Structure formats: structure tokens, C-alpha cells
Amino acid sequence: KTLNPQWREQFDFHLYEERGGIIDITVWDKDAGKKDDFIGRCQVDLSTLSKEQTHKLEMPLEEGEGYLVLLVTLTASAAVTISDLSVNLLEDQKEREEILKRYFINFVPNFSLIGKSDPFCVVELNNDRLLTHTVYKNLNPEWNKIFTFNIKDIHSVLEVTVYDEDRDRSADFLGKVAIPLLSV
């Protein structure tokens, strides 16, 4: 119930240069019991920003009115990583097979109108977020990746969300699994 909202939220995005450097932000008016209203969008091109420096950006909302004020800092981080499963094989083969059997998702629905889905995953733990590469034209993708996160709270929940990449629009939601760390 304000025309001047202030979120004061911090988000950590772990990006890799080969994935590109554009963050797309959309703003919505959430209406209880009704469809949410689109307010506007803006894009931040991270490739134009210098590293190891905080930038104050005033981004006008396209397709809407108003603007967002963002503080953006690009910095190197080794705390959260993605590596290939084939390179970092678990020493105990039984443990590796158990992990694959317990958490492997082997079904991706086909939401693409033509051909097969182009799935990729977003893996989130608290405020840490990692993206896999896209496996194009595949309904049974295998990423074979190991994700390393700093665990600050054992009561946290690891969320893995699968999307279908769509170059013309935002990605389509395919599915999600939530894994409480206490269950691992």
C-alpha cells in the first residue's frame, strides 16, 4: 500500500562470464485474490560495470513508470562453486550411486511447442544461487555437476528448480524439488 516501496534486500547471484551478464528485473503489484499487475521491468548489463566497486544505479522501469535504485557490487567469490561430477568423483562408489539414486531427477516434461524442452536448473540455498548450463532439445537431461555451498544453518532447504529456456521470452517453469538439509 505504497507508491514508494523500499525492499532493502540483499541478493547474491553467482554468475559465470560464459552465461552472459544481464540481470532482468520485473516489478509486480501483488493483489490478494486477483491477478498480479505488471508495473515495469529493467535490465542491468553487468559487463558495463567495473569489478570490486559498488555502483549505485537508478534504473528507469521500461513499459511502466518509476525507477529502481540498486547497489551492485561485482566481486570474485570462491565460497559457492559448480564443478563436474566426472572430474570430482566421490571416492566411495556406493556413496556416489546412492546420491545419484536419491536426488537424481530424470524426467523433464515437454512444454515446448516444437521439439523438446531446453532445460536448465537453478540451485538455491538461502541467499546463494547457482545456474547450470542448458541442455538443449532434451527431455532426459544430465548435468553431472557438484554444487558446493557454505552452510550457515542446518535447518535450511536446498531448492532445485528446472526451467525450459526460451530465447524469446522468460524461461518456463518445469518443476521444483526442495531438499531439507537435515534429511541429507
Side-chain angles (χ1 to χ4, degrees), residues 25-81:
I25 303 169
T26 57
V27 183
W28 297 84
D29 176 23
K30 187 173 183 99
D31 292 323
K34 295 189 279 183
K35 185 178 177 187
D36 296 340
D37 298 316
F38 177 78
I39 293 177
R41 77 169 0 112
C42 66
Q43 289 188 331
V44 178
D45 184 355
L46 299 177
S47 67
T48 64
L49 304 177
S50 56
K51 295 179 175 136
E52 304 302 332
Q53 176 183 345
T54 300
H55 303 272
K56 182 177 181 181
L57 307 175
E58 293 188 18
M59 306 295 300
L61 293 176
E62 301 168 8
E63 304 171 43
E65 294 183 25
Y67 61 95
L68 292 178
V69 177
L70 306 168
L71 297 176
V72 179
T73 306
L74 301 178
T75 187
S77 171
V80 179
T81 62

Side-chain angles (χ1 to χ4, degrees), residues 147-161:
F147 297 87
T148 305
F149 291 96
N150 281 336
I151 297 174
K152 299 168 187 145
D153 182 359
I154 61 169
H155 298 94
S156 297
V157 175
L158 179 72
E159 295 180 352
V160 180
T161 309

